[in-house]
Amino acid sequence: MAYSASVKPSVNFNTKLYTGNYSTNAITGVGHQPDMVWLKSRSFAQNHEMYDAVRTATKRIYPNGTYVEDTDTAGLTAFNSDGFTLGSSNSSNKSGDTFASWNWKAGTGQGSSNTDGSINTTYTSVNTTAGFSISSYTGTGSNATVGHGLGSIPKMIIVKNRDNTTGWGVYHASLGNTKYLQLNDTAAEGTASTFWNNTTPTNQVFSIGTSGWMNNSGEKYIAYCFADKKGYSKFGSYVGNNNTDGTFVYLGFKPAFIIVKPTSGTEHWTMYDNKRTGYNPTNYQLYPNLSSSEATLSELDIVSNGFKIRSQTGRLNSSGVTMIYMAFAEQPLVANSGSNGVPATAR
């Protein structure tokens, strides 16, 4: 079965750029009601901020830090049918400053409890079409499982303790179930059974060990789970060659958003999208583990069926080093028996 963009399902991911006004600011044009919104100032140094419909509007966590969840009543105040509303917070809506927002659709709302694991989630909001779910749960301090609702095996999981100043634990299928990365840090992959209990996720649950990052007794957690979806999302790896004619990473779709992290060494995470530049080379970068403003370096090409590395930077292309990535299109391509491949055009 081939896939075609001629049939257009709903948008499940979108980057939306906006300018702050330090007042009520209704951001529209997202193309769906987002259930997770990741915000970052482009023009000044400020923390990344993440909001989701499971924890509800105004509840903020910071991907680049270990901070506990806080409430910003002047931050993101509502999730709307075509975007979101901001209040008068400098960190997300400073007057005249430019911002990027990355918006994912889960189950359009807070969801309900998932009882598939040994820990029942408080809420799980899930979009099985797009392979994305958000789950809140309370830790027990003992090895456990948590239901994710995807109906397929997650390839990447990001977990944050909402009540404690731990880091962000990242599971990636390319590393396996004994390894973890830290979204808020440059650290290389670590090895610990206390993160994923040395157990690969199933199509119903993911496993957690006893680390405080995952499972302190009585503390609240949020988990973002992602599955591969043909023509829409992919979570994989490639090996760097330290050449400006770098690796071509085949995705089977034109990516709208990419994050890359080396698995060894102390290099930053790097994020790209199809809106901040709009043409090749994609030369605007932000770093999920840093509060710094946007950088401008020519580093990769976004093309019709993947991305091509164009830089020797160690963040993307250290010789012999495995790089993990996550990549999304704006919407899944729909099966079309009349086509023989994934159609697309180079940017």
Side-chain angles (χ1 to χ4, degrees):
M1 183 73 70
Y3 286 73
S4 173
S6 60
V7 182
K8 295 187 176 181
S10 62
V11 174
N12 290 277
F13 169 83
N14 202 355
T15 299
K16 179 64 180 179
L17 308 180
Y18 66 94
T19 301
N21 66 7
Y22 197 61
S23 183
T24 300
N25 197 355
I27 309 303
T28 60
V30 169
H32 63 268
Q33 179 168 320
D35 294 293
M36 184 174 84
V37 179
W38 183 338
L39 305 171
K40 177 68 180 78
S41 170
R42 303 171 61 192
S43 50
F44 74 108
Q46 184 59 258
N47 288 325
H48 292 254
E49 298 182 2
M50 193 175 287
Y51 297 86
D52 63 68
V54 167
R55 292 177 300 115
T56 69
T58 76
K59 301 295 192 299
R60 176 175 61 178
I61 48 179
Y62 305 90
N64 60 289
T66 61
Y67 316 105
V68 299
E69 177 185 275
D70 66 16
T71 299
D72 184 3
T73 57
L76 188 150
T77 60
F79 299 97
N80 306 321
S81 60
D82 189 33
F84 54 92
T85 300
L86 299 168
S88 56
S89 174
N90 267 329
S91 61
S92 57
N93 194 21
K94 186 178 180 181
S95 182
D97 283 339
T98 56
F99 293 82
S101 71
W102 303 281
N103 303 270
W104 285 263
K105 180 181 177 181
T108 312
Q110 196 169 37
S112 58
S113 177
N114 181 296
T115 61
D116 290 337
S118 61
I119 295 175
N120 293 339
T121 67
T122 311
Y123 297 101
T124 295
S125 181
V126 60
N127 181 345
T128 56
T129 300
F132 174 53
S133 72
I134 309 168
S135 295
S136 63
Y137 66 92
T138 301
T140 64
S142 301
N143 293 336
T145 56
V146 179
H148 52 69
L150 292 173
S152 54
I153 297 172
K155 299 297 185 181
M156 190 167 180
I157 303 168
I158 303 172
V159 177
K160 178 66 178 82
N161 186 325
R162 300 164 62 188
D163 295 330
N164 207 322
T165 55
T166 60
W168 293 65
V170 179
Y171 166 86
H172 198 285
S174 298
L175 302 181
N177 59 36
T178 66
K179 305 287 187 181
Y180 68 94
L181 287 166
Q182 305 174 48
L183 182 63
N184 57 288
D185 201 282
T186 60
E189 64 180 35
T191 303
S193 62
T194 54
F195 274 68
W196 314 111
N197 198 24
N198 292 357
T199 304
T200 301
T202 72
N203 63 356
Q204 290 186 307
V205 301
F206 65 93
S207 295
I208 52 176
T210 57
S211 168
W213 293 38
M214 307 285 134
N215 196 13
N216 269 348
S217 180
E219 294 183 346
K220 299 187 297 296
Y221 293 82
I222 194 74
Y224 305 106
C225 296
F226 304 90
D228 278 346
K229 288 295 176 178
K230 187 173 182 179
Y232 170 68
S233 63
K234 193 169 182 181
F235 308 86
S237 65
Y238 66 91
V239 177
N241 65 8
N242 193 35
N243 194 304
T244 54
D245 184 18
T247 302
F248 169 70
V249 180
Y250 176 79
L251 301 174
F253 57 87
K254 184 177 183 178
F257 179 81
I258 304 163
I259 292 182
V260 177
K261 173 69 172 77
T263 60
S264 60
T266 54
E267 295 283 357
H268 299 302
W269 297 76
T270 311
M271 60 200 311
Y272 308 86
D273 61 63
N274 64 342
K275 299 293 175 62
R276 285 178 292 144
T277 305
Y279 53 85
N280 288 320
T282 301
N283 58 0
Y284 291 130
Q285 300 84 39
L286 287 164
Y287 309 106
N289 58 290
L290 292 178
S291 62
S292 57
S293 59
E294 187 173 74
T296 55
L297 299 165
S298 298
E299 295 190 336
L300 60 78
D301 289 344
I302 290 175
V303 297
S304 62
N305 54 1
F307 60 96
K308 170 77 171 175
I309 306 302
R310 295 294 189 187
S311 171
Q312 293 175 287
T313 177
R315 290 179 288 101
L316 296 179
N317 202 13
S318 289
S319 182
V321 173
T322 297
M323 315 280 172
I324 60 100
Y325 66 84
M326 62 190 301
F328 298 88
E330 288 186 357
Q331 59 189 32
L333 300 177
V334 176
N336 181 347
S337 60
S339 174
N340 292 319
V342 177
T345 57
R347 187 169 63 169

